[in-house]
Amino acid sequence: MSRKTNRRPPLVADNRQAAKTGRKQPARTPAQAQRAGRRRRGPLGALRAVLVGAVMWGLRLAWRFGLRAGLTIVLLTGLGVFYYAATLPPIDDLIDGRTRGSVTLLDNTGEVFAWRGDQFGGMVTADTVSPHLRNAIVATEDKRFFAPYHIGIDFYATAAAMVRNYRENGNPLSGAGGSSISQQTAKLLCFGRPYDPDTWEDEAAYEADCRETTLWRKVVEATYAMAMEARYSKDEILTVYMNRAYLGAGSRGFEAAAQRYFGISAAEVDPAQAAMLAGLLRAPSATSPTRNLQAAQDRADTVLRLMQQQGYLTARETAQARANPATLSKAARQRSGGYFADWVMASGPEFFTRQTTEDVIIRTTLDQRIQQAAEEGLTRIFEEKVRDGSRAQAAIVVMGADGAVRAMVGGRDTEAAGAFNRATQALRQTGSAFKPFVYATALDLGMRPTDVVVDEPTCWDVPGPDDWCPENYSRDHAGEVTLTQALMASLNIPAVKVSERVGRDNVRTVAEMFGIESDLAAGPALALGTSESTLLEMTGAYAGILNGGSAVAPYGLVELRLMGDETPLMDAGGGIRDRVIREDAARQLTWMMHQVVEDGTGRAARIDGWQIAGKTGTSQQARDAWFIAFTADYVAGIWMGYDDNTPLTGVTGSGLPADIWRETMTGVLDAVPPTPLPMAPPPAAADGPGLSDADADALINTLLQELGGE
């Protein structure tokens, strides 16, 4: 009977091998098995094995060093986050980061018409702003901002932005998008680096440095953002962001922007207004509604769509907001008085205007109704009477008899700000507009409007090889004329004769006392306006004639105070000054200048029902054309010419400048009851408004045939 056992019987092959050798075959080692397998696989199998081994070795090496590098990066990032978080100040210290203050300019009724500097309307928080504004900011800038896994960086948005930027311009770091609200706030804080004038040339250079995008800067930005997330709450970070973001037109923060564009607080904005404000974050200068309202509305439409997609607005609310897009407030729409605002800023103390570190309120003399009339009058004349493509420029100043400037236009671009102001900065030859100061001197020294002077060829001895022999604009001579007739026809030779008779030094003194501060000519040509002056100076000098012969200092600043304070820091610095000529002399001169408008070179400026006194002026070779005139209430001065002193073609003071004056003052005087001029006609002319002698009228008409006889 056989016995059962668990042992496996030897294989036939094993028995056969053992029988051949006489001993049992030993088991093979793994290396032997590998070599045997290699022999069986051949050359390709061996190559594959080598490659697999190399890959495995590389992976082991990468894991070994990658793990260490990753741990190092995590450690350094953690240290950076800890450092920044430890150095971050209290949240209130980060709200207002401006390095300069703001200036808000009010017109003569107390309405805002212009802003300068960096506006900061006051602190707002994530809880005090309109919920629509809060939602609009999150929807358009960082929709996952309040997510629990949002630690300062939106990794998904960052990666998507880098891919998009790489496809568009080949640089993943160059382009828009991807930055979370925390990262954007880190940039606004410049990673904790305050502005230092010793480090940066100016604020623009500082801000450009803070916005610089490099790989290292992105690392710092991310670290700082995570530090803020560790140090502050989400609402606190959003509060800093809302108060420091630049939103165009000098507005820093959403409160300033809401007041600037809509005239309301950031707590009061509706969905359409909130969408427009949030839309400014991407390109505040290009899409500022005061610069391009349509672009701002188009961007707001996109923000409204995002708000609806993310559940902040219903379809009905979105449709209503799109149907009623946000528009500018009346003050923001006005966009007038830019030249005037620049002049006030330049004339005030620098530490409270151009370089202020405080928020300042300046009440001014500007009358927005008059300003609008001046801008529209200039624009209308250029559109209707000046050829297309002309580079000619013009300027306007309107003021009261006390020198209070009510309107100012410094060039054809009536909406300009920070531009060259031809009303205050351009020194131009005054031409015949200077002649009233000659006759003012004569009247003050006892001459009368009816005194006679002979208009005839006359020469004067001046330094040089030849005598000076001026001519009238008409090339004709009138013989015996009164002072009034000579002024009406703007005759040159009688003006020089009168100036020499009363003493050109006296004429110079009168002109300077009336406010002509520029250097005045020393020779007899002084009487013909060969000296230069600004339109503001000349208009102010004419205001002295209107007010009875006292000098005025043109002014626009009425009161300056710090925002929040009721006590002014300074008051008006202009107004009526010392007497220059006797009052009766000023009233007689006013009557003479009234004849210039009624029957002389200024006839184009007549306005039915109004008494107007003025004088035309055209400089040598017609490089400058002037018309300055006044009613009982306002003095308005007009200058026209080219910036490069190119002669005007077919233009004298009696032409287009007088037309601009009439258009401007028609708007200014609209619906205002006429007031008689404070003038005193001479006894011989008391019975009528003009010269009664028929021969004199005929003579004047002859002299005025050629463009007013400038």
Side-chain angles (χ1 to χ4, degrees):
M1 198 176 158
S2 62
R3 187 175 54 176
K4 294 183 178 179
T5 177
N6 291 329
R7 293 181 60 188
R8 179 179 63 86
L11 296 175
V12 175
D14 293 339
N15 292 335
R16 189 178 295 125
Q17 182 67 24
K20 289 181 179 180
T21 60
R23 60 181 174 86
K24 190 176 180 179
Q25 180 72 20
R28 290 181 296 181
T29 65
Q32 292 172 332
Q34 185 177 12
R35 286 194 296 271
R38 192 181 301 127
R39 286 194 296 268
R40 288 196 299 270
R41 289 191 295 267
L44 291 179
L47 178 61
R48 182 170 56 189
V50 171
L51 291 175
V52 170
V55 169
M56 294 302 297
W57 180 83
L59 289 175
R60 285 194 297 269
L61 186 64
W63 170 257
R64 186 175 302 169
F65 287 97
L67 178 61
R68 293 174 181 174
L71 290 174
T72 302
I73 291 174
V74 170
L75 178 61
L76 292 176
T77 302
L79 291 174
V81 170
F82 178 80
Y83 169 77
Y84 282 133
T87 58
L88 284 169
I91 197 72
D92 289 345
D93 294 347
L94 301 178
I95 297 303
D96 186 1
R98 297 172 300 158
T99 58
R100 60 175 181 160
S102 66
V103 179
T104 301
L105 294 110
L106 312 179
D107 65 11
N108 62 332
T109 66
E111 293 292 325
V112 176
F113 76 90
W115 296 263
R116 293 293 186 270
D118 289 344
Q119 300 293 316
F120 181 71
M123 177 179 173
V124 295
T125 68
D127 295 328
T128 60
V129 298
S130 164
H132 299 302
L133 180 55
R134 173 188 169 114
N135 295 337
I137 295 169
V138 173
T140 188
E141 292 301 310
D142 190 357
K143 65 182 180 181
R144 287 176 280 271
F145 178 67
F146 287 103
Y149 55 81
H150 188 294
I151 59 171
I153 306 171
D154 188 335
F155 292 100
Y156 175 81
T158 300
M162 292 176 69
V163 172
R164 182 173 61 253
N165 293 335
Y166 179 77
R167 288 175 177 175
E168 291 178 356
N169 54 44
N171 185 353
L173 299 179
S174 176
S179 294
S180 67
I181 287 177
S182 300
Q183 288 175 277
Q184 294 181 55
T185 306
K187 288 182 183 178
L188 291 173
L189 297 174
C190 203
F191 321 112
R193 299 182 303 165
Y195 172 67
D196 183 357
D198 295 331
T199 304
W200 292 278
E201 182 178 353
D202 52 30
E203 291 178 61
Y206 168 68
E207 294 182 357
D209 185 21
C210 297
R211 292 192 300 267
E212 183 184 3
T213 302
T214 62
L215 181 59
W216 174 247
R217 185 59 63 82
K218 294 298 289 186
V219 171
V220 174
E221 175 188 306
T223 305
Y224 201 89
M226 288 188 287
M228 286 194 299
E229 294 270 355
R231 177 74 166 79
Y232 306 129
S233 68
K234 297 282 188 179
D235 280 348
E236 288 176 329
I237 294 173
L238 187 58
T239 293
V240 176
Y241 184 62
M242 290 190 299
N243 283 281
R244 294 186 73 119
Y246 179 68
L247 297 165
S251 300
R252 294 282 180 178
F254 282 88
E255 180 66 16
Q259 295 176 11
R260 174 70 175 89
Y261 299 129
F262 309 130
I264 58 176
S265 169
E268 302 172 294
V269 297
D270 59 27
Q273 293 167 331
M276 181 175 287
L277 291 176
L280 295 173
L281 289 165
R282 178 164 297 182
S285 297
T287 58
S288 168
T290 54
R291 180 176 182 178
N292 190 334
L293 180 59
Q294 186 60 53
Q297 291 175 337
D298 291 343
R299 175 61 181 158
D301 192 73
T302 300
V303 176
L304 289 170
R305 176 176 55 80
L306 294 173
M307 293 175 71
Q308 181 186 357
Q309 289 177 353
Q310 297 172 39
Y312 294 120
L313 293 176
T314 65
R316 181 177 180 181
E317 290 172 330
T318 303
Q320 182 177 5
R322 284 179 167 177
N324 300 278
T327 57
L328 295 169
S329 67
K330 179 181 177 182
R333 286 196 311 270
Q334 195 74 28
R335 298 187 66 181
S336 63
Y339 290 105
F340 178 91
D342 291 341
W343 169 62
V344 170
M345 291 287 290
S347 60
E350 184 176 19
F351 52 86
F352 278 134
T353 53
R354 303 174 300 285
Q355 299 295 331
T356 181
T357 57
E358 305 286 345
D359 291 321
V360 176
I361 304 291
I362 296 180
R363 187 161 60 88
T364 73
T365 59
L366 182 77
D367 187 318
Q368 293 201 59
R369 182 185 66 85
I370 297 177
Q371 179 69 32
Q372 183 177 3
E375 293 177 358
E376 291 178 351
L378 185 147
T379 300
R380 189 176 300 113
I381 293 300
F382 269 86
E383 288 177 348
E384 296 177 356
K385 297 190 176 184
V386 178
R387 62 176 174 81
D388 292 340
S390 172
R391 294 180 294 105
Q393 284 289 347
I396 302 174
V397 172
V398 182
M399 68 174 63
D402 65 343
V405 177
R406 301 301 181 186
M408 179 180 290
V409 181
R412 290 172 62 179
D413 183 2
T414 58
E415 296 180 355
F420 180 69
N421 191 338
R422 296 161 187 84
T424 62
Q425 295 175 287
L427 283 168
R428 309 295 298 224
Q429 280 193 346
T430 59
S432 295
F434 185 85
K435 289 175 181 174
F437 307 122
V438 174
Y439 294 104
T441 307
L443 295 171
D444 191 56
L445 293 176
M447 296 186 71
R448 297 170 299 178
T450 54
D451 285 350
V452 173
V453 63
V454 179
D455 178 28
E456 60 185 358
T458 309
C459 294
W460 280 267
D461 183 21
V462 296
D466 300 319
D467 291 340
W468 180 61
C469 305
E471 295 181 337
N472 295 320
Y473 186 88
S474 63
R475 310 295 182 183
D476 294 329
H477 299 90
E480 290 187 353
V481 292
T482 64
L483 301 189
T484 303
Q485 292 170 333
L487 186 63
M488 288 172 60
S490 198
L491 300 177
N492 288 336
I493 295 172
V496 178
K497 283 187 172 183
V498 172
S499 175
E500 294 299 293
R501 181 183 303 178
V502 300
R504 71 178 75 132
D505 287 340
N506 291 329
V507 173
R508 186 180 298 106
T509 298
V510 167
E512 289 174 345
M513 291 182 66
F514 268 128
I516 307 301
E517 298 178 352
S518 307
D519 292 337
L520 296 175
L526 167 72
L528 304 186
T530 57
S531 304
E532 296 177 332
S533 183
T534 67
L535 179 61
L536 181 65
E537 285 181 354
M538 290 292 289
T539 308
Y542 275 51
I545 299 172
L546 170 60
N547 69 34
S550 295
V552 305
Y555 68 99
L557 189 153
V558 175
E559 177 184 283
L560 184 151
R561 58 183 174 84
L562 297 181
M563 186 176 292
D565 290 354
E566 296 299 327
T567 304
L569 295 178
M570 62 180 298
D571 296 321
I576 296 179
R577 300 296 177 86
D578 298 333
R579 175 165 295 283
V580 180
I581 61 175
R582 293 179 291 107
E583 184 174 358
D584 62 331
R587 300 306 179 214
Q588 292 178 56
L589 179 59
T590 298
W591 179 84
M592 292 172 61
M593 295 170 69
H594 176 55
Q595 308 312 307
V596 173
V597 177
E598 286 295 299
D599 297 304
T601 58
R603 286 178 295 185
R606 289 181 295 189
I607 299 175
D608 291 343
W610 285 89
Q611 291 181 345
I612 299 167
K615 184 68 186 76
T616 58
T618 307
S619 68
Q620 298 178 37
Q621 299 181 358
R623 291 189 174 93
D624 305 277
W626 303 72
F627 184 73
I628 309 174
F630 50 84
T631 64
D633 302 306
Y634 299 106
V635 186
I638 313 294
W639 167 86
M640 186 173 176
Y642 288 97
D643 288 339
D644 61 1
N645 276 323
T646 299
L648 294 161
T649 303
V651 178
T652 64
S654 60
L656 291 178
D659 292 337
I660 295 173
W661 193 97
R662 186 189 65 253
E663 287 292 327
T664 296
M665 294 306 294
T666 297
V668 171
L669 302 173
D670 185 38
V672 177
T675 306
L677 279 171
M679 57 185 178
D687 297 332
L691 296 178
S692 59
D693 187 275
D695 292 337
D697 288 340
L699 174 63
I700 295 301
N701 286 329
T702 299
L703 295 172
L704 294 173
Q705 287 179 355
E706 297 186 18
L707 297 175
E710 293 290 341

